[in-house]
Amino acid sequence: MLLHLSTWQEIDDYLKRSKTVVIPIGSNEQHGPTGLLGTDWLCPEIIAHEAQRSADILVAPTFNIGMAQHHLGFAGTIALRPSTFMACIGDWCRSLGLAGFEKIYFLNGHGGNVATIDAAFSELYAEATYAQRNRGFACKQKNWWELKGVFGLAQRQFPTGHGSHATPSEIAVTQWGYPDSIKSANYAPQIAPTGPIREALDFRARYPDGRMGSDPGQATPEKGAELVAAAVAGLIDDVAAFSAEVAPA
Ligand code: NI
């Protein structure tokens, strides 16, 4: 069930049978010479949208801009600084909590978001603590590549040149989701360099074509289909477990 294609009455009805909502969250940022700018929000969106076709899961609109200041040296990147990102996550959660949602599950597609999403959760819990009330809702984030079965599959598919940015696994997922937008390039070197992440000018100098440690030329839509199938199964299980968590009295 997709929130943006539902009415408020349908959401009211959904809340009678579940208090859980899934929010795909990612980033709009350069992904090397062949990766789509939307890769990091498209992957969790593709997986969550596919999962709600076979399970009674409510999926909220995708939070598609994240903490990506280090990619701003490349055209098309749009970033929120951590403080803005935290404020936005907080208001998304407060809005959903007010409506009655008690389990807010972020399916994340961008490693650069993780620390800030956790910090945003801590801010929300701190609000409840200082007000001496129960939190009212629980938040969880999960990276899609950490869903059960996904990481092992990606390792088997791409034993070398997986890397950490513009990876063949994330690009394969978008190739499956958007086969009309598959790009090609000659990679030089075939496997990109690795190193630290700092500010945008430093990033562009270290990683001239935007990739980190990856050879995205190994991506295929068929491998993407396998990754999506594994991630969908993993997401359905993980959301069910989160929904079943009972807070102590
Ligand atoms: Ni990515």
Side-chain angles (χ1 to χ4, degrees):
M1 183 173 174
L2 299 173
L3 185 143
H4 68 285
L5 298 183
S6 306
T7 65
W8 69 264
Q9 291 96 335
E10 289 172 314
I11 301 304
D12 262 358
D13 288 343
Y14 175 86
L15 278 162
K16 289 173 190 146
R17 59 184 193 273
S18 173
K19 307 285 191 201
T20 303
V21 60
V22 174
I23 306 173
I25 190 167
S27 174
N28 197 88
E29 62 183 47
Q30 71 82 16
H31 266 76
T34 54
L36 307 180
L37 280 149
T39 298
D40 281 2
W41 64 264
L42 288 169
C43 289
E45 181 177 278
I46 288 166
I47 293 159
H49 284 204
E50 197 61 20
Q52 61 84 40
R53 292 157 63 91
S54 59
D56 188 21
I57 291 175
L58 177 66
V59 180
T62 301
F63 196 137
N64 60 11
I65 306 295
M67 215 306 288
Q69 61 79 21
H70 48 292
H71 294 297
L72 285 170
F74 298 86
T77 300
I78 304 171
L80 296 175
R81 68 186 68 194
S83 51
T84 318
F85 191 33
M86 285 168 63
C88 294
I89 292 167
D91 281 355
W92 279 54
C93 291
R94 290 184 193 94
S95 302
L96 291 162
L98 201 62
F101 289 97
E102 294 175 356
K103 300 282 174 65
I104 302 178
Y105 184 106
F106 286 86
L107 183 63
N108 182 44
H110 175 49
N113 284 350
V114 171
T116 311
I117 294 173
D118 273 339
F121 293 171
S122 295
E123 283 280 352
L124 289 162
Y125 295 143
E127 271 177 23
T129 297
Y130 291 126
Q132 292 189 294
R133 59 174 165 77
N134 258 330
R135 61 202 168 203
F137 51 81
C139 301
K140 175 172 180 162
Q141 70 162 321
K142 187 83 165 187
N143 297 318
W144 70 263
W145 58 89
E146 288 176 341
L147 290 166
K148 200 174 95 192
V150 176
F151 190 72
L153 173 60
Q155 281 186 316
R156 292 193 296 279
Q157 289 176 327
F158 312 109
T160 59
H162 186 270
S164 59
H165 183 66
T167 65
S169 61
E170 62 182 346
I171 289 175
V173 169
T174 63
Q175 288 181 341
W176 178 79
Y178 294 89
D180 294 339
S181 298
I182 295 175
K183 323 282 183 180
S184 62
N186 292 318
Y187 300 103
Q190 193 68 32
I191 297 179
T194 59
I197 296 176
R198 293 179 183 138
E199 78 282 359
L201 287 177
D202 182 271
F203 190 101
R204 175 112 194 197
R206 287 177 194 275
Y207 316 109
D209 73 2
R211 298 174 293 144
M212 291 181 71
S214 68
D215 170 15
Q218 303 177 80
T220 66
E222 293 74 23
K223 290 174 185 167
E226 294 173 1
L227 288 162
V228 170
V232 164
L235 178 63
I236 291 171
D237 281 357
D238 205 40
V239 169
F242 183 48
S243 298
E245 274 182 25
V246 178

